[in-house]
Every structure is written in C-alpha cells, then in structure tokens.
Amino acid sequence: MPFSLRQLRYFVAAAEHGEVSAAARALSISQPSVSAAIADLEGQFGVQLFLRRHAQGMALTPAGRRLLPEARSLLEHAREFESGAAGLGQALAGTLEVGCFVTIAPFFVPRLLSGVRARYPGMDVRVTEGHHEELPKGLKSGAFELALLYDYAIGADRDLLAEPLAEFQPYILLPKGHRLARAAKLSLTDLAKEPLVLLDLPSTREYFLSRFIALGIEPLVAHRTPSYEMVRCLVANGHGYSMLNMRPAEDLTYDGKRLVCRPIKDPLVPARVVLVRLAGATQTRRAAAFAEFTREFFTKEAD
Amino acid sequence: MPFSLRQLRYFVAAAEHGEVSAAARALSISQPSVSAAIADLEGQFGVQLFLRRHAQGMALTPAGRRLLPEARSLLEHAREFESGAAGLGQALAGTLEVGCFVTIAPFFVPRLLSGVRARYPGMDVRVTEGHHEELPKGLKSGAFELALLYDYAIGADRDLLAEPLAEFQPYILLPKGHRLARAAKLSLTDLAKEPLVLLDLPSTREYFLSRFIALGIEPLVAHRTPSYEMVRCLVANGHGYSMLNMRPAEDLTYDGKRLVCRPIKDPLVPARVVLVRLAGATQTRRAAAFAEFTREFFTKEAD
DNA sequence: GGGAAATATAATTTTGCATTATCTTGAATA
DNA sequence: TATTCAAGATAATGCAAAATTATATTTCCC
C-alpha cells in the first residue's frame, strides 16, 4: 500500500481549505508536513491533484476533484472500522457475575480471571464461591449469570443449561505409609472396613457415597467436614481415607503431612465440571465471551 | 486515526496464515514487526484479537474473528481507491474538462466530440465555452485541462503552452449587393471610410482593430456586438462591413439575408487556433489522447 | 529432560514524519 | 516599476515509529 490514511486526511483537509497552510492549522501540524504528504500522493498516483497558485493557495485539478469524494469515503470507512473495533472491546466492558463451587475455585478461577482480564481488559469478572445448593439458586435469582460446578449437583433441572468443561476421576486419599498405599490401584471393596473421612458438602456428600453404594458397599464414615483441606489433614494424620475429585499440585497438607493418592480400580462415573447458565435467559456478550474463554481454557487444560 | 492500513494488512495476513512467522515470511518482513503491529492493534482497540498458543501459532479470538472481515473490507476499499487514483492519470475512461472560445466552438467542437467518443468510448469530454479572458483563468484554476482558442489571446504568458492547430486568414463580410462586393479581393484601405461592425469580445476586438492600425488605418466603428451571428445580421442588413476569421457553411443569416465574403489583399498575420495547456502541470493520458486526436483532426481539415 | 517451533522481548538501525528556518513565486500595492 | 505580502516548496534537523537481528520464553513432542 503506497499511501497512508494520514496522507489522505491531509489531502482532504487541503482540498477543503483550498490552502495547505489553512489545512495545516486545522490539523494542528506544520505546513510542510501537509505539502509533503500531498506531493507524495501525487508521486504515488502519478497524477497532479492540485494546481499551485502560489499566493492564491491551491486548486483541485479535475483528477483531484474526482479523487476527493473517494478519499472521503475511504476515510469514513476507516472511521467506521475503528468505532466497530473499539466497540468490540467496549461492549464487553462492565461487570460479569460468576458463581463457582468452593472446591473447584482455587484450581481454576485465579487463572481464568487472569486470562479474561488479559483478553478483555474492560471486563470485570466477579466470582462468588458457593455450595451446590446455593449456586443454582444464585443463577435463578440473577445473582450470577454463569456458574462453575459439578454436574452431579444439577440433576434433572430443566431450567439450567450445563456445558461440560472437564472430567475428573475420583481418587483415593491415604496417609503416607498406609498399608493400602502400597497398591498402585485400589478397589473400593478394599476400603469397606476402613474409616472414611467424608467431604461433607451438599450433593458432593451424596455423590461420593453413591460411588460406594453403586458397588454395594456401605462405607464407614468416621469423620465429616465441610472443608476440603480439613479432609486432607484428617487423612494425612491417620484418621482414615477419603475420596476426592480434584488433586492439588502437592500432596502435602497445611500442617506439613504427606498424602498418597491412588486411582480407583472400579469403573466409576467421573465428576464433570460444567459451566451452567439459565436456559431461558439470553446471554450477555460478556457472558458469551467468558464462556468462550473458559471453553478454550479447559480445552488447553485437557491437553 | 489510531491504526494504520499497514497494521491491518499484517493482522489479516496473520489471521490467514494462523502464524505470525508465516505471515511475516509472506509479507517479506521480520516476525517481530508483525507481532508488534498486532499487539498495537490490540492495545488500540482494547481487545485481544489472537490467542497465543506458543508452539502452535495463533488462533483468532471471537473478537478477532468478527474484526477480520471488516479489516478485509477496509483494505479492499483502500485497494480500489488506489487503483482508481492511479487510473486517473493513466486510464482514458473518465472525464476530461476542455475549454473552448465561444466563436470557435460551433465550427469544430461537435465533430471533435463525435470523433473522440468514437475513438475512446470510455472517455467523457466536457466542453465549457468561454471568452478569451476566462479560458486562461480556467486552465490555471483547474477548471479545465485543455483549451481551444486563438493565439492572440495568450500573448506572452509563459505559464501556458500553446500548440498551433490551424490558421485562419481574416476576411471581409459585406451585405449582398454592396458596391465593394464586386471586387474579388479587398484592401482594408478601401474600407477606411465604411462603417465597421465590430465583434466586440475581449482580445478579438483588439485583434481585429490592430489589423487596421497595422496598416495605418483608423476604422469607423459603427456597431459593436459580442454576438457572432449579430455581426453577420447587422452586415447583411446593410449596417456596415465586418472582418471575421471563421466562415460558416452558408453565407446566410438567421433572418434570411445573404452575405458576401471577400478575401483581403493586404498581408495580414493570420489568426491561429491553438490548443493550450498549463506549462507546469503533468498531462493526464486523457488530455494527451484528446490533444492527439485534435491534432489529427485539424491536419485532415487543412487538406 | 532435551530439542524444536512459535511468539515475545530487547537492543539497534533505519526510515518516516514532524518541526523550524529559509527560499521562491506570483499578486497586490504604492 | 519596485516593494511588500501571502502561500507553497525546500532544506536541515530532531524525534518517534518501524524495521531488523539476536535472545528469551513457552509449549509441544520425542
């Protein structure tokens, strides 16, 4: 492209003012800049656009007269493009309320927030952590537009649209040095007589228990706690075993104890992390953008 | 205008290749240049256009996907503008503005227009008739690119280039049956005491009078009129004689009277019809083509 | 864990654009 | 006719954008 939008702007201004000097004043630049831009255009196109009348300013040649409206049109197109492009970012500006299940949040939310902030600088995502009984309510009440949670918490609720993002196979958690930890894989039947530390959260509680019951096993629930890290600490301190979906980067508890994780031999239905939204509502552009980003995030995560 | 066509070109190339590196190769520039251009666009618009997938190149974000066709459209517009602008100088299609002295026009312009239209079908010649004081101004103001007029109207104007096309010896116009009409040739001295009907147009007026004065004759100006046909009618109705350059096909006036035309015995500088253009300006191809055709036309006319 | 591929970043050179000052030209004026 | 004035072109110079090369970083893949 031999010419620039800048040069076109100068050409149009000079044509409108009939003088390079006046155009330069209007553009708040110096007169030689405008002169040079016009001379360059004329050279590029091989056509004389203006007649120089010295003390009388400049007059458009027939060629210049024909070019003027086309230059205006191109500049107008450029302005439209600009506002359209700026609008892409602008429309996303604003706040998006998102809910997230507490145990999922630390694993993904921080990185999701960073990524979304980078891609959509004007967009402000506010994440509220909640339990499985609260999140669907929050969606329905309008407290959030999207929620990140486990599919087992939704059941057959027809009001919610759940988009699967990732699958997690539950695993068994044992204290380091536990006799069962020597096996590479464990069967739930091996654990039937062992004390279970249950993550005692709505839905999650039922989800874990149902994994046993599906195999005809009645687990011995020795401890119940609603805290994820408390589960890990209890297990690491020898109070029993547990079953979890998500696995932190280190098998180390807050109180410095070591854990051992073992996959489960028995075929279990995995837990699916889903992105949930209200079936009836039309999605805002912010929500669509967040959903798109989250989709990509988990696709990359799966690789 | 915060962005440039250059940046848009790089953006489109990167989107098409899916890689900055490949786009840079295709554009024959370095990879960081493309990276920087895209980063700048993203900054300008406040939107992320690409997902960086490191070893996997780049993928368009939803925003980038939306912007891509618009960027292509703007670039296409710019290309059209460019070819249009470049074509102004070269292509024969388009409009050529020509000025012509009023009394010359009816003798040549209609046939010139027909001929030019036949030879250059895409070319639109617009002729503006004017007087000798207006035509050079029109050239200098850019109103027309070429003008057809008498050489005596130019004088020593160094800004104008005049190309001779045809010479016309002035002749004497008498009413039918005038006593001087019996002579085959007339001397201006024979007319010194006769009433003169003067074609009263700038330059032309001075031109005719100077023919007499050059011979030491002071003509008797009985009537002045700026209308060519009025001169003929006044003469035909016995109000005097006149001197003209151009001779219509019939020596018959609008009011049905007969005229007699007689050549002049005295040696006079002929009137030259010239094609004039601005000395400083570069000629468009249309103007060159018109000039060439006009040259040929008058050469044939002289035969 | 190491190599390859892709982009980003850093440092440097080059180019383009802006500026000020000066020159040229034609028109208006005395 | 000489002078002054207005407008554009040209020249010299500084600065900022964009190009380049080289290097770092990240991820994939073996």
Side-chain angles (χ1 to χ4, degrees):
Chain A
M1 204 67 61
F3 66 96
S4 70
L5 294 174
R6 180 188 58 84
Q7 291 172 322
L8 252 44
R9 256 204 339 274
Y10 294 1
F11 162 62
V12 170
E16 283 171 351
H17 287 88
E19 288 180 18
V20 166
S21 308
R25 267 192 303 280
L27 293 164
S28 309
I29 57 168
S30 70
Q31 169 260 316
S33 297
V34 181
S35 280
I38 291 167
D40 196 43
L41 284 180
E42 291 180 322
Q44 300 285 358
F45 299 149
V47 193
Q48 191 167 346
L49 301 174
F50 287 101
L51 292 167
R52 275 68 169 179
R53 298 178 308 169
H54 300 98
Q56 257 72 41
M58 314 219 292
L60 282 168
T61 60
R65 222 177 347 269
R66 277 199 45 194
L67 209 57
L68 180 59
E70 298 181 38
R72 282 207 183 96
S73 154
L74 182 56
L75 287 173
E76 183 51 35
H77 193 159
R79 269 187 288 274
E80 280 168 19
F81 176 87
E82 184 196 350
S83 60
L88 279 181
Q90 283 312 311
L92 292 171
T95 304
L96 173 69
E97 297 285 350
V98 177
C100 185
F101 183 49
V102 281
T103 67
I104 296 177
F107 292 94
F108 305 115
V109 167
R111 282 179 292 160
L112 275 174
L113 289 181
S114 306
V116 166
R117 175 172 312 167
R119 187 184 297 181
Y120 308 110
M123 185 163 145
D124 182 24
V125 180
R126 296 198 48 194
V127 177
T128 305
E129 291 166 66
H131 295 299
H132 277 145
E133 56 191 357
E134 304 159 1
L135 293 173
K137 280 187 194 166
L139 283 170
K140 291 175 185 175
S141 74
F144 2 92
E145 197 176 348
L146 293 171
L148 220 52
L149 41 81
Y150 285 111
D151 61 341
Y152 54 72
I154 299 177
D157 194 334
R158 305 297 303 266
D159 295 338
L160 301 179
L161 282 179
E163 179 181 354
L165 294 172
E167 286 191 357
F168 294 90
Q169 282 293 347
Y171 63 93
I172 296 301
L173 202 60
L174 293 167
K176 189 182 177 190
H178 193 279
R179 62 179 175 85
L180 289 174
R182 279 173 295 199
K185 284 192 169 190
L186 293 175
S187 171
L188 295 193
T189 46
D190 303 339
L191 299 159
K193 299 281 190 260
E194 296 287 323
L196 169 63
V197 178
L198 183 64
L199 181 56
D200 191 30
L201 294 173
S203 289
T204 298
R205 173 178 51 219
E206 284 76 29
Y207 167 74
F208 284 131
L209 290 176
S210 69
R211 300 306 95 168
F212 291 90
I213 289 161
L215 296 172
I217 299 163
E218 178 120 20
L220 286 172
V221 180
H223 294 277
R224 294 169 174 268
T225 169
S227 157
Y228 192 85
E229 182 62 24
M230 189 62 183
V231 168
R232 286 160 51 86
C233 285
L234 284 169
V235 169
N237 282 276
H239 296 286
Y241 74 95
S242 189
M243 181 191 283
L244 291 173
N245 291 321
M246 232 56 104
R247 186 171 169 190
E250 281 286 329
D251 295 322
L252 189 69
T253 61
Y254 284 7
D255 61 356
K257 295 279 165 38
R258 283 276 159 196
L259 290 164
V260 173
C261 300
R262 289 289 177 267
I264 297 170
K265 226 182 285 181
D266 318 274
L268 295 182
V269 178
R272 258 196 286 268
V273 171
V274 290
L275 184 64
V276 185
R277 65 177 192 269
L278 228 46
T282 59
Q283 222 175 180
T284 65
R285 284 199 51 215
R286 280 186 294 281
F290 181 88
E292 168 74 15
F293 183 86
T294 306
R295 218 167 282 138
E296 291 172 12
F297 177 91
F298 277 97
T299 304
K300 276 191 282 183
E301 199 79 355
D303 298 341
Chain B
M1 205 69 59
F3 66 96
S4 70
L5 294 174
R6 179 188 60 83
Q7 293 172 323
L8 253 43
R9 248 198 355 269
Y10 295 0
F11 163 61
V12 170
E16 284 172 349
H17 287 89
E19 287 180 18
V20 165
S21 309
R25 269 192 301 279
L27 294 164
S28 308
I29 56 168
S30 70
Q31 169 261 315
S33 298
V34 181
S35 279
I38 291 168
D40 195 43
L41 283 180
E42 291 179 323
Q44 299 285 357
F45 299 148
V47 194
Q48 187 171 346
L49 301 174
F50 287 100
L51 291 169
R52 275 68 169 179
R53 297 178 308 169
H54 300 98
Q56 257 72 44
M58 314 218 293
L60 282 168
T61 61
R65 231 181 331 276
R66 279 198 45 194
L67 211 55
L68 180 58
E70 298 180 39
R72 282 209 183 95
S73 155
L74 182 56
L75 286 173
E76 182 51 35
H77 194 160
R79 268 187 290 273
E80 281 168 19
F81 176 87
E82 183 197 351
S83 61
L88 278 181
Q90 291 118 37
L92 291 171
T95 303
L96 173 69
E97 298 284 349
V98 177
C100 185
F101 182 49
V102 282
T103 67
I104 297 178
F107 292 94
F108 305 115
V109 167
R111 282 179 293 158
L112 276 175
L113 289 181
S114 306
V116 166
R117 177 172 311 167
R119 186 183 296 183
Y120 308 110
M123 185 163 146
D124 180 26
V125 180
R126 298 199 45 194
V127 177
T128 305
E129 291 166 65
H131 294 300
H132 276 144
E133 55 192 356
E134 304 160 359
L135 294 172
K137 279 189 195 162
L139 284 169
K140 291 174 184 176
S141 75
F144 14 90
E145 200 176 346
L146 293 171
L148 220 53
L149 40 82
Y150 286 115
D151 63 340
Y152 56 73
I154 300 178
D157 194 330
R158 304 297 304 269
D159 296 337
L160 302 177
L161 283 178
E163 177 181 357
L165 292 172
E167 289 189 353
F168 292 91
Q169 282 293 346
Y171 63 92
I172 298 299
L173 202 59
L174 293 167
K176 191 182 178 190
H178 193 280
R179 61 179 175 87
L180 290 174
R182 278 173 297 198
K185 284 194 170 191
L186 292 175
S187 170
L188 295 193
T189 46
D190 304 336
L191 298 161
K193 299 281 189 262
E194 296 288 325
L196 170 62
V197 178
L198 183 63
L199 180 57
D200 192 26
L201 294 173
S203 290
T204 299
R205 171 178 54 220
E206 284 79 25
Y207 167 76
F208 285 132
L209 290 175
S210 69
R211 300 308 94 166
F212 291 90
I213 289 160
L215 298 172
I217 300 162
E218 179 116 6
L220 286 173
V221 179
H223 294 277
R224 295 171 172 265
T225 168
S227 155
Y228 191 84
E229 182 60 25
M230 189 62 181
V231 168
R232 285 162 50 87
C233 285
L234 285 169
V235 171
N237 283 274
H239 295 287
Y241 74 97
S242 188
M243 181 192 282
L244 292 174
N245 291 321
M246 233 53 106
R247 185 168 169 194
E250 280 287 329
D251 296 325
L252 189 68
T253 61
Y254 283 4
D255 61 355
K257 295 280 166 36
R258 282 277 159 196
L259 289 163
V260 173
C261 300
R262 290 289 177 265
I264 296 168
K265 228 183 283 181
D266 317 273
L268 295 183
V269 178
R272 257 197 287 271
V273 172
V274 290
L275 184 64
V276 185
R277 64 174 194 269
L278 226 48
T282 58
Q283 213 176 191
T284 65
R285 280 198 53 215
R286 280 187 294 283
F290 182 87
E292 172 64 20
F293 183 87
T294 306
R295 218 169 280 138
E296 291 173 16
F297 177 91
F298 277 98
T299 305
K300 276 191 279 182
E301 199 79 355
D303 298 344

